[in-house]
């Protein structure tokens, strides 16, 4: 857990979280972890440089008006290592990650851009395999790759393939989904079992064996979100718990809306293989990355119907209510343990496993 | 010139163009050069993987319908070395390059996404300086950075900062600007002096001195294109001659439209410092990259008025008619030399100077 992370050089799982955060003279791996250090880079460097409106949007999808259309617009770069892993590849991630960012605004992705940064010497067969995975994932997600770019850097200045995708999609009328809309009384739902992507990457990268191959949950959530919106357009918040896991997602929402969040550890669906791997590795599944899950804050009166709609969708079959939004402890996430106690679920500082997406 | 490039390892200027092009087992620097090798990667790998519609659009801005709006959408990654150079930085390039791609469809850029891939160990002050340059360039171009992402890779797997931007903008009604629209009789106009960006990068990177500091022409062309469209919405083709220079841009247009292009070498504005540098280095200015110029194919009846509008804009003050579109030699660009001869201007194979943008 982040509060127990060493403060010096990276350890086995890539913790590199010097304290204090301020006054880093150089970028460390933790700045890319999607936790407190990433947020600090955004707040202190990018937001002042780019201007005010972007502040609340950086790292999420932006909702814009253009030519009378209400669009969601989002980007992610992908630097996952290895390029291929059980359940997916960097090409799948590059589609599903950006499609999911758009879906978290309620938008169905329509078009993707795609930028390749190739390292000199990478096999063209590998580039081809990644491109085909990307194309296949785009077809599954119902999104079209509309424009692209290729750059090549010298050997030793890359790692085979880095990818960037940006996506645009239409936000349906009447839909206004953003972290600031969480209100006390909202029911917190997670769409399925957590931790699979992170444990899958970790197992293949570190050569760990957990008895059974653990597959990434990498998937496009546009269809699941459409099914939920068919119940009610009034979903308050959607978030895909990628880097930093469920813990980071819930903390960002609590902080953005100024509300408290309580969850029941017992209610959070953790598959046995993830629980076992995390027990062996000393990790908390709430901090492990997902690539095909969402967390939803839903008005109480719609919660049962939304949950039923999720159960009816293949990607929501294991959806569960895990907690609620409260007036107590604003900005803070509190978990009830199976033994009746409570603990604070912190925003992770850096990253458990660098280059997970 | 590319036809004289050695076929083996990279030479001083980074040529690395093995012949034949087909059956490269590994990516070489020339695949990122924007010439014939880049085109082959697109045709043989990306287009089949991504599907048919993208084929003609990859490497250019795509024009799309979404929610009743007619949008241009484009992306570029930026891997320029060094990060700062006379007349600009990777931050300026990341704005102007993508804004210009949109402008080449007649669109005024409205929103940018921005993805940073940081190398562990890069100074945060450098990241800050790049972000500020990017923000300032966006304000000058009138475009808003709406969404972003940051990833960090280990030291030795990057080169300080790589950037990706994607941009969206509105295409005005009645505007249909694309390479396929070039027709015999069109007048070919270039917006100003060529070769400045490439020579500026080369001089700072290779430590060459040409008596006077040569500044990149890096600039956003949205305003110039608006001024041209105010004369007539019926511009046929616009293209910014970046990687591969004017030679690549004219060849792509000739090939896409199935027309011939003739230019007069004497009419092409080459500033003395670029001419001198190219003479010393044995380069042809027509192959040197630009980052603030455009080439336009304009119906003959509008050419004088468009040229006058360009002269009235600061970024078009040195605009000149350099040639015309012809029925002869379809797909081919032919230059008349100052001595009355003619020569074929080939599509460059790879790249004179890798990582120029």
């Amino acid at each position: 857990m982040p509060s127990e992370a060493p403060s010096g050089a990276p350890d086995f799982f890539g913790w590199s979280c010097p304290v204090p955060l301020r006054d880093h003279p150089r970028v460390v791996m933790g700045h890319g972890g999607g936790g407190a250090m990433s947020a600090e880079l955004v707040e202190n460097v990018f937001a002042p440089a780019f201007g005010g409106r972007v502040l609340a949007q950086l790292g999420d999808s932006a909702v814009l008006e253009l030519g009378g259309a209400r669009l969601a617009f989002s980007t992610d770069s992908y630097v996952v290592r290895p390029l291929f892993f059980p359940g997916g590849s960097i090409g799948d991630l590059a589609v599903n990650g950006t499609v999911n960012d758009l879906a978290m605004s309620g938008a169905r992705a329509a078009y993707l851009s795609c930028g390749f940064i190739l390292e000199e010497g990478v096999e063209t067969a590998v580039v081809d395999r990644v491109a085909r995975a990307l194309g296949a994932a785009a077809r599954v997600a119902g999104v079209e790759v509309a424009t692209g770019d290729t750059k090549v850097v010298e050997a030793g200045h890359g790692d085979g393939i880095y990818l960037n995708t940006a996506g645009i999609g239409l936000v349906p009328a009447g839909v206004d989904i953003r972290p600031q809309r969480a209100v006390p009384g909202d029911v917190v739902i997670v769409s399925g079992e957590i931790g699979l992507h992170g444990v899958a990457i970790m197992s293949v990268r570190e050569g760990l064996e957990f008895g059974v191959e653990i597959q990434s949950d990498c998937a496009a959530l546009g269809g699941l979100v459409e099914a939920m919106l068919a119940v009610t357009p009034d979903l308050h918040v959607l978030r895909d718990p990628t880097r930093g896991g469920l813990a980071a997602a819930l903390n960002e929402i609590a902080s953005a809306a100024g509300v408290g969040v309580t969850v029941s550890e017992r209610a959070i669906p953790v598959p046995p293989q993830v629980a076992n791997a995390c027990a062996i590795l000393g990790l908390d599944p709430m901090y492990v990355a997902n690539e095909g899950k969402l967390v939803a804050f839903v008005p109480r009166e719609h919660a049962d119907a939304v949950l039923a709609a999720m159960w009816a969708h293949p990607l929501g079959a294991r959806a569960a209510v895990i907690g609620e939004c409260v007036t107590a402890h604003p900005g803070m996430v509190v978990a009830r343990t199976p033994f009746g106690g409570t603990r604070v679920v912190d925003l992770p500082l850096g990253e458990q496993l660098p280059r997970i997406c």
Side-chain angles (χ1 to χ4, degrees), chain A residues 99-118:
Chain A
V99 163
N100 291 351
D101 279 348
L102 298 176
M104 298 308 112
S105 297
R108 187 71 183 245
Y111 296 101
L112 290 183
S113 68
C114 178
F116 279 79
I117 298 178
L118 304 177

Side-chain angles (χ1 to χ4, degrees), chain A residues 223-285:
Chain A
L224 177 62
V225 170
E226 276 191 342
M228 296 167 70
L229 286 172
V231 175
T232 172
D234 192 30
L235 305 176
H236 286 172
V237 187
L238 295 175
R239 195 95 180 178
D240 54 335
T242 56
R243 288 181 289 182
L246 193 57
L250 294 175
N251 268 282
E252 285 161 10
I253 295 164
S255 173
V259 296
V261 175
T262 61
V263 295
S264 161
E265 284 194 354
R266 201 193 290 270
I268 298 171
V270 180
Q273 64 272 38
V274 169
N276 290 343
C278 286
I280 292 168
L281 300 169
L283 297 175
D284 181 336

Side-chain angles (χ1 to χ4, degrees), chain A residues 92-342:
Chain A
D92 299 281
L93 279 181
V95 170
N96 296 334
T98 297
V99 163
N100 291 351
D101 279 348
L102 298 176
M104 298 308 112
S105 297
R108 187 71 183 245
Y111 296 101
L112 290 183
S113 68
C114 178
F116 279 79
I117 298 178
L118 304 177
E119 185 187 15
E120 181 188 23
V122 65
E123 292 173 24
T124 48
V126 171
V127 179
D128 187 58
R129 200 173 148 208
V130 166
R132 283 174 198 280
L134 196 156
R139 282 185 286 279
V140 169
V143 64
E144 183 178 344
V145 181
T147 185
D149 175 60
T150 308
K151 294 291 190 301
V152 181
V153 295
E154 300 86 352
H157 288 296
D159 203 358
I161 300 175
Y162 296 147
L163 273 176
N164 175 285
T165 52
I168 50 177
L170 277 179
V171 181
V175 170
D176 178 23
I177 302 172
R178 50 195 165 86
Q180 294 80 0
R181 288 200 65 216
V183 291
D186 281 354
V187 172
V188 180
I189 300 173
V190 69
S191 65
E193 296 179 320
I194 66 166
L196 288 161
H197 179 71
V199 171
I201 294 285
M202 213 174 302
S203 63
V204 62
R205 199 153 86 192
E206 311 293 351
L208 304 175
E209 299 279 349
F210 301 112
V212 55
E213 186 184 75
I214 298 172
Q215 298 243 333
S216 169
D217 59 341
C218 187
L221 296 168
L224 177 62
V225 170
E226 276 191 342
M228 296 167 70
L229 286 172
V231 175
T232 172
D234 192 30
L235 305 176
H236 286 172
V237 187
L238 295 175
R239 195 95 180 178
D240 54 335
T242 56
R243 288 181 289 182
L246 193 57
L250 294 175
N251 268 282
E252 285 161 10
I253 295 164
S255 173
V259 296
V261 175
T262 61
V263 295
S264 161
E265 284 194 354
R266 201 193 290 270
I268 298 171
V270 180
Q273 64 272 38
V274 169
N276 290 343
C278 286
I280 292 168
L281 300 169
L283 297 175
D284 181 336
M286 285 187 75
Y287 291 90
V288 178
N290 311 274
E291 287 291 343
K293 296 299 180 301
L294 62 82
V295 58
F297 283 53
V298 180
R300 187 164 296 273
E301 65 270 27
H302 299 302
D304 286 345
V306 168
L307 198 60
M310 294 174 80
W311 286 337
H313 191 280
L315 293 175
R318 305 292 295 268
V321 172
I322 61 166
E324 60 185 337
C325 190
V326 297
T327 48
H329 51 80
M332 193 178 287
V333 180
V334 172
R336 287 190 306 277
T337 70
F339 313 105
T342 60

Side-chain angles (χ1 to χ4, degrees), chain A residues 54-65:
Chain A
V54 83
L55 179 64
Q57 300 187 332
L58 214 87
D60 213 334
S61 72
V63 176
L64 317 163
E65 294 278 340

